[in-house]
Amino acid sequence: MLLVAQESKNRCLFSTGADHPSPSAVLAPSPGLALDHSRWVFVVKKGYQDTDTSLQSSVITKLKGVAFTNTSELGERLWDVADYVIPPQGENVFFVMTNLIVTPNQRQATCPEVGRTEPLGPQTPTKLGSVSIPDALCYKDGDCPAGEAVVAGNGVKTGRCLKDGDSIRGTCEILAWCPVEKRSKPKKPLLASAENFTVYIKNSIRFPKFKFSKMNVLATNNESYLKSCRYSTEHPYCPIFLLGNIVRWAGSDFQEMALEGGVIGIQIEWNCDLDKAPSECNPHYSFSRLDNKYAEKSVSSGYNFRFAKYYRDAEGVDYRTLIKAYGIRFDVMVNGKAGKFNIIPTIINIGSGLALMGAGAFFCDLVLLYLIKKSNFYRGKKYEEVKSSSRKSLSSPTLNGNQSPDQLGGL
């Protein structure tokens, strides 16, 4: 008995009823689906390439721009990069000061924790108060233990409770840098013209696996190129950006953001197909606001910090000018991936595709031959029983295949 498998053409036939005479068809995954998957792996995902995601990157930033201001605290003043850029050595994070609160001529002495500029309440708008610093609130000297630091304050308590006139409530006297910092928030940005400042972002990258390096700056001997160009689609290798454009591309308004500060992310993406020319490996920039721009009314909105400039007078007394700086912090983030042809992933993905093309029929046969109740019916349809017959002799018409061995032996 000989069993011959019939061609199923990826269709699995089995009877769905006990005595149902007509078979039902189940369509297994076709080779076309496997080919589509293989095409997606090779064409879209570039499965024939080896990849390197361990990008090595260096970022150098440099700002340019000047601004002029005229205020009661500072008078007429010109601001350049040495004044408003922090830190002065540009790296992948830099800060541009756009607003500030100045408390000049501070010296170490005793003074009230809260001054007259901070009202105690609506009924006493010009008297000493401490609503903004609850730990400095006092009614008697015993409320201000000597040597105890004021929580969220500016100094150490001296043991005295200072009151204004016949007020019941007062503020603790402290040893600190006096006068203490003003608590009022700015009404408009001092350095509003910072919108027109420029930043030069130099990015050098390297993919160590392929020993490939590149920069985002045009390779040219023209010294005036970087002095006159600005980044655009026409000049993708001129990484000089207007700060106002960066904030606008991030979806924010520069003047609103400059009032109390914020954080902007600058993303540089390098996705390089090294099977192509090096000129096809180009940086792509994107910009986003990283702090919560919808929390402008929140007490935690904006971005600020404090620093001081110290000096000493002719009598040897130390003074300082305290500056609370508001501004925009820029975070430059670089990532990327490079790919290049390699025979090993190519063979692996070809083998996977070939295996997938035969997997559908194999799985269907496995289920129908061994797992269902009607497996005998499907086996009978898949395999055909063929009876073998003896060879007929062309020269003897009596050999019809029905002779016994004895009859054949007598011929």
Side-chain angles (χ1 to χ4, degrees), residues 199-227:
V199 58
Y200 167 60
I201 304 175
K202 179 181 176 181
N203 179 214
S204 303
I205 59 103
R206 181 174 181 268
F207 291 102
K209 180 182 287 188
F210 304 123
K211 298 180 180 180
F212 177 84
S213 302
K214 197 167 185 180
M215 269 197 322
N216 66 335
V217 184
L218 181 68
T220 178
N221 294 325
N222 186 357
E223 296 181 357
S224 63
Y225 175 73
L226 291 178
K227 296 180 180 179

Side-chain angles (χ1 to χ4, degrees), residues 126-186:
T126 61
K127 295 184 179 182
L128 289 173
S130 55
V131 175
S132 59
I133 305 179
D135 191 48
L137 175 66
C138 66
Y139 294 92
K140 59 185 185 299
D141 290 347
D143 297 330
C144 304
E148 182 181 283
V150 180
V151 178
N154 297 283
V156 177
K157 299 174 184 178
T158 64
R160 297 179 59 196
C161 180
L162 303 180
K163 299 179 182 179
D164 192 353
D166 57 353
S167 299
I168 299 176
R169 185 167 61 175
T171 186
C172 291
E173 182 185 63
I174 60 170
L175 174 63
W177 286 94
C178 300
V180 297
E181 180 188 68
K182 298 176 182 178
R183 293 275 173 174
S184 58
K185 286 189 176 183

Side-chain angles (χ1 to χ4, degrees), residues 8-282:
S8 59
K9 295 182 180 180
N10 296 306
R11 292 182 180 271
C12 306
L13 304 177
F14 63 95
S15 177
T16 58
D19 298 316
H20 200 285
S22 60
S24 299
V26 175
L27 184 63
S30 66
L33 180 60
L35 289 174
D36 289 340
H37 174 76
S38 300
R39 189 181 299 113
W40 180 80
V41 169
F42 273 88
V43 178
V44 179
K45 304 300 290 184
K46 293 182 172 62
Y48 56 87
Q49 290 184 335
D50 190 11
T51 59
D52 185 4
T53 57
S54 58
L55 176 69
Q56 298 173 349
S57 173
S58 172
V59 175
I60 299 174
T61 58
K62 185 183 295 185
L63 281 98
K64 291 289 182 69
V66 295
F68 175 79
T69 61
N70 187 0
T71 64
S72 57
E73 294 88 355
L74 301 173
E76 294 184 350
R77 181 167 179 176
L78 184 71
W79 300 79
D80 62 12
V81 291
D83 299 312
Y84 62 75
V85 178
I86 303 170
Q89 182 178 354
E91 298 177 357
N92 60 333
V93 176
F94 61 93
F95 172 84
V96 178
M97 184 168 61
T98 57
N99 212 353
L100 69 158
I101 297 176
V102 180
T103 308
N105 304 322
Q106 285 187 319
R107 57 172 292 186
Q108 291 197 9
T110 57
C111 55
E113 175 63 82
V114 181
R116 291 178 181 271
T117 56
E118 297 181 67
L120 183 65
Q123 303 302 322
T124 57
T126 61
K127 295 184 179 182
L128 289 173
S130 55
V131 175
S132 59
I133 305 179
D135 191 48
L137 175 66
C138 66
Y139 294 92
K140 59 185 185 299
D141 290 347
D143 297 330
C144 304
E148 182 181 283
V150 180
V151 178
N154 297 283
V156 177
K157 299 174 184 178
T158 64
R160 297 179 59 196
C161 180
L162 303 180
K163 299 179 182 179
D164 192 353
D166 57 353
S167 299
I168 299 176
R169 185 167 61 175
T171 186
C172 291
E173 182 185 63
I174 60 170
L175 174 63
W177 286 94
C178 300
V180 297
E181 180 188 68
K182 298 176 182 178
R183 293 275 173 174
S184 58
K185 286 189 176 183
K187 299 296 186 295
K188 60 180 181 179
L190 179 66
L191 299 179
S193 60
E195 185 172 8
N196 298 316
F197 295 171
T198 60
V199 58
Y200 167 60
I201 304 175
K202 179 181 176 181
N203 179 214
S204 303
I205 59 103
R206 181 174 181 268
F207 291 102
K209 180 182 287 188
F210 304 123
K211 298 180 180 180
F212 177 84
S213 302
K214 197 167 185 180
M215 269 197 322
N216 66 335
V217 184
L218 181 68
T220 178
N221 294 325
N222 186 357
E223 296 181 357
S224 63
Y225 175 73
L226 291 178
K227 296 180 180 179
S228 58
C229 70
R230 294 292 182 271
Y231 173 80
S232 65
T233 54
E234 291 78 18
H235 298 282
Y237 279 86
C238 175
I240 298 180
F241 303 85
L242 283 171
L243 297 186
N245 286 343
I246 292 177
V247 174
R248 178 168 53 84
W249 292 334
S252 297
D253 180 82
F254 187 90
Q255 296 301 321
E256 292 180 0
M257 196 172 183
L259 182 62
E260 295 189 19
V263 183
I264 294 292
I266 302 173
Q267 185 78 36
I268 306 178
E269 189 86 20
W270 295 85
N271 289 322
C272 301
D273 185 350
L274 300 185
D275 291 327
K276 299 179 180 179
S279 60
E280 298 294 323
C281 177
N282 300 314

